[in-house]
mmCIF file of all heavy atoms in Angstrom:
data_model
loop_
_atom_site.group_PDB
_atom_site.id
_atom_site.type_symbol
_atom_site.label_atom_id
_atom_site.label_comp_id
_atom_site.label_asym_id
_atom_site.label_seq_id
_atom_site.Cartn_x
_atom_site.Cartn_y
_atom_site.Cartn_z
ATOM 1 N N GLY Y 237 29.593 51.031 24.544
ATOM 2 C CA GLY Y 237 30.224 50.094 25.377
ATOM 3 C C GLY Y 237 29.449 48.757 25.519
ATOM 4 O O GLY Y 237 30.088 47.744 25.283
ATOM 5 N N PRO Y 238 28.207 48.762 26.068
ATOM 6 C CA PRO Y 238 27.453 47.539 26.223
ATOM 7 C C PRO Y 238 27.330 46.727 24.878
ATOM 8 O O PRO Y 238 27.294 45.590 24.905
ATOM 9 C CB PRO Y 238 26.217 47.991 26.802
ATOM 10 C CG PRO Y 238 26.417 49.304 27.487
ATOM 11 C CD PRO Y 238 27.406 49.846 26.615
ATOM 12 N N GLY Y 241 30.510 45.172 24.012
ATOM 13 C CA GLY Y 241 30.732 44.122 25.039
ATOM 14 C C GLY Y 241 29.851 42.868 24.764
ATOM 15 O O GLY Y 241 30.439 41.742 24.826
ATOM 16 N N ASP Y 245 31.007 38.991 23.735
ATOM 17 C CA ASP Y 245 30.551 37.722 24.588
ATOM 18 C C ASP Y 245 30.054 36.683 23.700
ATOM 19 O O ASP Y 245 30.263 35.614 23.911
ATOM 20 C CB ASP Y 245 29.596 38.312 25.615
ATOM 21 C CG ASP Y 245 30.205 39.047 26.731
ATOM 22 O OD1 ASP Y 245 31.347 38.834 27.055
ATOM 23 O OD2 ASP Y 245 29.487 39.826 27.437
ATOM 24 N N GLY Y 291 36.476 49.478 24.806
ATOM 25 C CA GLY Y 291 37.171 49.150 25.983
ATOM 26 C C GLY Y 291 36.370 48.067 26.782
ATOM 27 O O GLY Y 291 37.137 47.286 27.452
ATOM 28 N N SER Y 292 35.116 47.999 26.735
ATOM 29 C CA SER Y 292 34.428 46.975 27.430
ATOM 30 C C SER Y 292 34.793 45.566 26.905
ATOM 31 O O SER Y 292 34.891 44.617 27.691
ATOM 32 C CB SER Y 292 32.892 47.190 27.162
ATOM 33 O OG SER Y 292 32.518 47.263 25.900
ATOM 34 N N SER Y 293 34.855 45.471 25.552
ATOM 35 C CA SER Y 293 35.343 44.151 24.983
ATOM 36 C C SER Y 293 36.773 43.833 25.385
ATOM 37 O O SER Y 293 36.934 42.664 25.611
ATOM 38 C CB SER Y 293 35.265 44.260 23.451
ATOM 39 O OG SER Y 293 34.014 44.535 23.055
ATOM 40 N N ILE Y 294 37.628 44.822 25.406
ATOM 41 C CA ILE Y 294 38.994 44.463 25.864
ATOM 42 C C ILE Y 294 39.075 44.044 27.313
ATOM 43 O O ILE Y 294 39.794 43.109 27.653
ATOM 44 C CB ILE Y 294 39.793 45.793 25.613
ATOM 45 C CG1 ILE Y 294 39.948 46.064 24.211
ATOM 46 C CG2 ILE Y 294 41.236 45.700 26.270
ATOM 47 C CD1 ILE Y 294 40.579 47.431 23.829
ATOM 48 N N PHE Y 295 38.308 44.633 28.243
ATOM 49 C CA PHE Y 295 38.335 44.252 29.679
ATOM 50 C C PHE Y 295 37.744 42.912 29.770
ATOM 51 O O PHE Y 295 38.159 41.952 30.639
ATOM 52 C CB PHE Y 295 37.684 45.245 30.524
ATOM 53 C CG PHE Y 295 38.569 46.463 30.915
ATOM 54 C CD1 PHE Y 295 38.279 47.686 30.446
ATOM 55 C CD2 PHE Y 295 39.520 46.237 31.849
ATOM 56 C CE1 PHE Y 295 39.044 48.667 30.771
ATOM 57 C CE2 PHE Y 295 40.359 47.279 32.311
ATOM 58 C CZ PHE Y 295 40.217 48.564 31.704
ATOM 59 N N GLY Y 296 36.751 42.564 28.908
ATOM 60 C CA GLY Y 296 36.167 41.239 28.900
ATOM 61 C C GLY Y 296 37.157 40.209 28.553
ATOM 62 O O GLY Y 296 37.295 39.134 29.070
ATOM 63 N N PHE Y 297 37.893 40.601 27.364
ATOM 64 C CA PHE Y 297 38.968 39.692 26.904
ATOM 65 C C PHE Y 297 40.002 39.450 27.971
ATOM 66 O O PHE Y 297 40.521 38.340 28.155
ATOM 67 C CB PHE Y 297 39.627 40.303 25.628
ATOM 68 C CG PHE Y 297 40.892 39.660 25.237
ATOM 69 C CD1 PHE Y 297 40.880 38.625 24.329
ATOM 70 C CD2 PHE Y 297 42.085 40.281 25.526
ATOM 71 C CE1 PHE Y 297 41.977 38.062 23.881
ATOM 72 C CE2 PHE Y 297 43.250 39.626 25.029
ATOM 73 C CZ PHE Y 297 43.239 38.579 24.195
ATOM 74 N N THR Y 299 39.677 39.654 31.208
ATOM 75 C CA THR Y 299 39.201 38.943 32.318
ATOM 76 C C THR Y 299 39.193 37.421 31.850
ATOM 77 O O THR Y 299 39.490 36.468 32.757
ATOM 78 C CB THR Y 299 37.714 39.289 32.569
ATOM 79 O OG1 THR Y 299 37.726 40.612 33.016
ATOM 80 C CG2 THR Y 299 37.104 38.401 33.680
ATOM 81 N N PHE Y 311 45.392 44.470 35.022
ATOM 82 C CA PHE Y 311 44.566 45.767 34.828
ATOM 83 C C PHE Y 311 45.356 46.957 35.267
ATOM 84 O O PHE Y 311 45.352 48.062 34.592
ATOM 85 C CB PHE Y 311 43.390 45.609 35.809
ATOM 86 C CG PHE Y 311 42.242 44.779 35.326
ATOM 87 C CD1 PHE Y 311 41.285 44.278 36.123
ATOM 88 C CD2 PHE Y 311 42.252 44.258 33.976
ATOM 89 C CE1 PHE Y 311 40.342 43.526 35.667
ATOM 90 C CE2 PHE Y 311 41.314 43.381 33.491
ATOM 91 C CZ PHE Y 311 40.336 42.946 34.362
ATOM 92 N N PHE Y 448 23.172 42.610 38.296
ATOM 93 C CA PHE Y 448 23.715 43.919 38.585
ATOM 94 C C PHE Y 448 23.050 44.453 39.834
ATOM 95 O O PHE Y 448 23.538 45.535 40.294
ATOM 96 C CB PHE Y 448 23.505 44.768 37.474
ATOM 97 C CG PHE Y 448 24.225 44.375 36.202
ATOM 98 C CD1 PHE Y 448 23.503 44.126 34.953
ATOM 99 C CD2 PHE Y 448 25.606 44.218 36.216
ATOM 100 C CE1 PHE Y 448 24.205 43.818 33.839
ATOM 101 C CE2 PHE Y 448 26.194 43.721 35.018
ATOM 102 C CZ PHE Y 448 25.596 43.539 33.853
ATOM 103 N N GLN Y 460 32.547 53.342 41.070
ATOM 104 C CA GLN Y 460 33.004 53.809 39.694
ATOM 105 C C GLN Y 460 32.387 55.074 39.411
ATOM 106 O O GLN Y 460 33.055 56.079 38.860
ATOM 107 C CB GLN Y 460 32.371 52.671 38.761
ATOM 108 C CG GLN Y 460 32.434 53.072 37.235
ATOM 109 C CD GLN Y 460 33.835 52.768 36.560
ATOM 110 O OE1 GLN Y 460 34.734 52.593 37.310
ATOM 111 N NE2 GLN Y 460 33.831 52.891 35.332
ATOM 112 N N VAL Y 571 37.837 47.801 39.357
ATOM 113 C CA VAL Y 571 37.704 46.963 38.122
ATOM 114 C C VAL Y 571 37.996 45.476 38.445
ATOM 115 O O VAL Y 571 37.303 44.630 37.922
ATOM 116 C CB VAL Y 571 38.689 47.557 37.076
ATOM 117 C CG1 VAL Y 571 38.641 46.683 35.779
ATOM 118 C CG2 VAL Y 571 38.340 48.979 36.679
ATOM 119 N N SER Y 572 39.097 45.262 39.130
ATOM 120 C CA SER Y 572 39.468 43.843 39.488
ATOM 121 C C SER Y 572 38.339 43.132 40.262
ATOM 122 O O SER Y 572 37.908 42.014 39.956
ATOM 123 C CB SER Y 572 40.679 43.865 40.283
ATOM 124 O OG SER Y 572 41.090 42.540 40.589
ATOM 125 N N PHE Y 574 35.198 43.940 40.300
ATOM 126 C CA PHE Y 574 33.980 43.828 39.505
ATOM 127 C C PHE Y 574 34.080 42.611 38.576
ATOM 128 O O PHE Y 574 33.072 41.924 38.360
ATOM 129 C CB PHE Y 574 33.723 45.127 38.663
ATOM 130 C CG PHE Y 574 32.524 45.096 37.859
ATOM 131 C CD1 PHE Y 574 31.222 45.471 38.445
ATOM 132 C CD2 PHE Y 574 32.504 44.754 36.562
ATOM 133 C CE1 PHE Y 574 30.085 45.551 37.816
ATOM 134 C CE2 PHE Y 574 31.304 44.889 35.830
ATOM 135 C CZ PHE Y 574 30.133 45.230 36.463
ATOM 136 N N SER Y 575 35.260 42.315 37.997
ATOM 137 C CA SER Y 575 35.485 41.175 37.183
ATOM 138 C C SER Y 575 35.238 39.949 37.942
ATOM 139 O O SER Y 575 35.001 38.902 37.299
ATOM 140 C CB SER Y 575 36.812 41.224 36.503
ATOM 141 O OG SER Y 575 37.802 40.966 37.479
ATOM 142 N N LYS Y 576 35.499 39.915 39.270
ATOM 143 C CA LYS Y 576 35.393 38.630 39.999
ATOM 144 C C LYS Y 576 34.027 38.377 40.548
ATOM 145 O O LYS Y 576 33.614 37.314 40.744
ATOM 146 C CB LYS Y 576 36.324 38.866 41.168
ATOM 147 C CG LYS Y 576 37.886 38.813 40.771
ATOM 148 C CD LYS Y 576 38.800 39.066 41.898
ATOM 149 C CE LYS Y 576 40.262 39.226 41.537
ATOM 150 N NZ LYS Y 576 41.180 39.496 42.574
ATOM 151 N N THR Y 578 31.109 39.341 38.962
ATOM 152 C CA THR Y 578 30.251 39.208 37.867
ATOM 153 C C THR Y 578 30.632 37.943 37.001
ATOM 154 O O THR Y 578 31.775 37.573 37.118
ATOM 155 C CB THR Y 578 30.231 40.492 36.948
ATOM 156 O OG1 THR Y 578 31.535 40.781 36.639
ATOM 157 C CG2 THR Y 578 29.617 41.653 37.701
ATOM 158 N N THR Y 582 29.794 36.419 30.528
ATOM 159 C CA THR Y 582 29.203 37.672 29.999
ATOM 160 C C THR Y 582 29.938 38.940 30.328
ATOM 161 O O THR Y 582 29.438 39.939 30.648
ATOM 162 C CB THR Y 582 27.758 37.800 30.522
ATOM 163 O OG1 THR Y 582 27.747 37.737 31.866
ATOM 164 C CG2 THR Y 582 26.826 36.697 29.857
ATOM 165 N N GLN Y 583 31.199 38.654 30.557
ATOM 166 C CA GLN Y 583 32.160 39.681 31.220
ATOM 167 C C GLN Y 583 32.143 40.934 30.178
ATOM 168 O O GLN Y 583 32.315 42.083 30.727
ATOM 169 C CB GLN Y 583 33.523 39.133 31.322
ATOM 170 C CG GLN Y 583 34.385 40.034 32.245
ATOM 171 C CD GLN Y 583 33.957 40.153 33.645
ATOM 172 O OE1 GLN Y 583 34.184 41.189 34.243
ATOM 173 N NE2 GLN Y 583 33.159 39.213 34.095
ATOM 174 N N GLY Y 584 32.108 40.731 28.963
ATOM 175 C CA GLY Y 584 32.213 41.895 27.946
ATOM 176 C C GLY Y 584 31.055 42.866 28.180
ATOM 177 O O GLY Y 584 31.253 44.056 28.278
ATOM 178 N N PHE Y 585 29.891 42.247 28.386
ATOM 179 C CA PHE Y 585 28.667 43.008 28.491
ATOM 180 C C PHE Y 585 28.655 43.696 29.830
ATOM 181 O O PHE Y 585 28.284 44.929 30.045
ATOM 182 C CB PHE Y 585 27.478 42.202 28.374
ATOM 183 C CG PHE Y 585 26.096 42.918 28.589
ATOM 184 C CD1 PHE Y 585 25.634 43.909 27.555
ATOM 185 C CD2 PHE Y 585 25.437 42.810 29.766
ATOM 186 C CE1 PHE Y 585 24.425 44.506 27.834
ATOM 187 C CE2 PHE Y 585 24.220 43.481 29.953
ATOM 188 C CZ PHE Y 585 23.703 44.310 28.983
ATOM 189 N N SER Y 586 29.147 42.974 30.940
ATOM 190 C CA SER Y 586 29.156 43.581 32.220
ATOM 191 C C SER Y 586 30.134 44.729 32.305
ATOM 192 O O SER Y 586 29.885 45.636 32.984
ATOM 193 C CB SER Y 586 29.556 42.377 33.239
ATOM 194 O OG SER Y 586 28.604 41.382 33.437
ATOM 195 N N GLN Y 587 31.237 44.525 31.671
ATOM 196 C CA GLN Y 587 32.307 45.625 31.599
ATOM 197 C C GLN Y 587 31.711 46.831 30.903
ATOM 198 O O GLN Y 587 32.113 47.934 31.216
ATOM 199 C CB GLN Y 587 33.586 45.076 31.025
ATOM 200 C CG GLN Y 587 34.334 44.106 31.802
ATOM 201 C CD GLN Y 587 34.947 44.707 33.141
ATOM 202 O OE1 GLN Y 587 35.068 45.891 33.222
ATOM 203 N NE2 GLN Y 587 35.344 43.909 34.070
ATOM 204 N N GLY Y 588 30.885 46.532 29.842
ATOM 205 C CA GLY Y 588 30.233 47.586 29.150
ATOM 206 C C GLY Y 588 29.320 48.341 30.053
ATOM 207 O O GLY Y 588 29.280 49.661 29.997
ATOM 208 N N VAL Y 589 28.572 47.676 30.830
ATOM 209 C CA VAL Y 589 27.610 48.273 31.812
ATOM 210 C C VAL Y 589 28.431 49.125 32.847
ATOM 211 O O VAL Y 589 28.122 50.309 33.157
ATOM 212 C CB VAL Y 589 26.791 47.252 32.558
ATOM 213 C CG1 VAL Y 589 26.021 47.961 33.658
ATOM 214 C CG2 VAL Y 589 25.863 46.620 31.624
ATOM 215 N N ARG Y 590 29.594 48.581 33.287
ATOM 216 C CA ARG Y 590 30.405 49.292 34.236
ATOM 217 C C ARG Y 590 30.961 50.512 33.572
ATOM 218 O O ARG Y 590 30.977 51.650 34.159
ATOM 219 C CB ARG Y 590 31.614 48.400 34.747
ATOM 220 C CG ARG Y 590 32.529 49.157 35.686
ATOM 221 C CD ARG Y 590 33.757 48.197 35.943
ATOM 222 N NE ARG Y 590 34.666 48.084 34.805
ATOM 223 C CZ ARG Y 590 35.442 48.994 34.356
ATOM 224 N NH1 ARG Y 590 35.539 50.126 34.985
ATOM 225 N NH2 ARG Y 590 36.166 48.876 33.302
ATOM 226 N N ARG Y 591 31.504 50.451 32.343
ATOM 227 C CA ARG Y 591 32.000 51.651 31.684
ATOM 228 C C ARG Y 591 30.986 52.652 31.343
ATOM 229 O O ARG Y 591 31.209 53.788 31.294
ATOM 230 C CB ARG Y 591 32.773 51.099 30.521
ATOM 231 C CG ARG Y 591 34.115 50.447 30.793
ATOM 232 C CD ARG Y 591 34.748 49.890 29.517
ATOM 233 N NE ARG Y 591 35.141 50.871 28.582
ATOM 234 C CZ ARG Y 591 36.245 51.555 28.630
ATOM 235 N NH1 ARG Y 591 37.230 51.398 29.526
ATOM 236 N NH2 ARG Y 591 36.596 52.503 27.636
ATOM 237 N N SER Y 592 29.727 52.108 31.099
ATOM 238 C CA SER Y 592 28.640 53.142 30.784
ATOM 239 C C SER Y 592 28.320 53.875 32.077
ATOM 240 O O SER Y 592 27.941 55.053 31.995
ATOM 241 C CB SER Y 592 27.455 52.322 30.336
ATOM 242 O OG SER Y 592 27.607 51.804 29.063
ATOM 243 N N VAL Y 593 28.338 53.232 33.187
ATOM 244 C CA VAL Y 593 28.140 53.955 34.495
ATOM 245 C C VAL Y 593 29.247 54.917 34.691
ATOM 246 O O VAL Y 593 28.995 56.144 35.008
ATOM 247 C CB VAL Y 593 28.108 53.043 35.675
ATOM 248 C CG1 VAL Y 593 28.113 53.771 37.015
ATOM 249 C CG2 VAL Y 593 26.905 52.035 35.630
#
Side-chain angles (χ1 to χ4, degrees):
D245 285 335
S292 59
S293 301
I294 292 172
F295 276 108
F297 169 82
T299 299
F311 287 165
F448 301 123
Q460 166 87 347
V571 175
S572 179
F574 187 83
S575 72
K576 296 173 183 177
T578 52
T582 56
Q583 193 63 206
F585 179 75
S586 296
Q587 291 291 342
V589 171
R590 181 189 65 80
R591 286 172 65 86
S592 291
V593 170

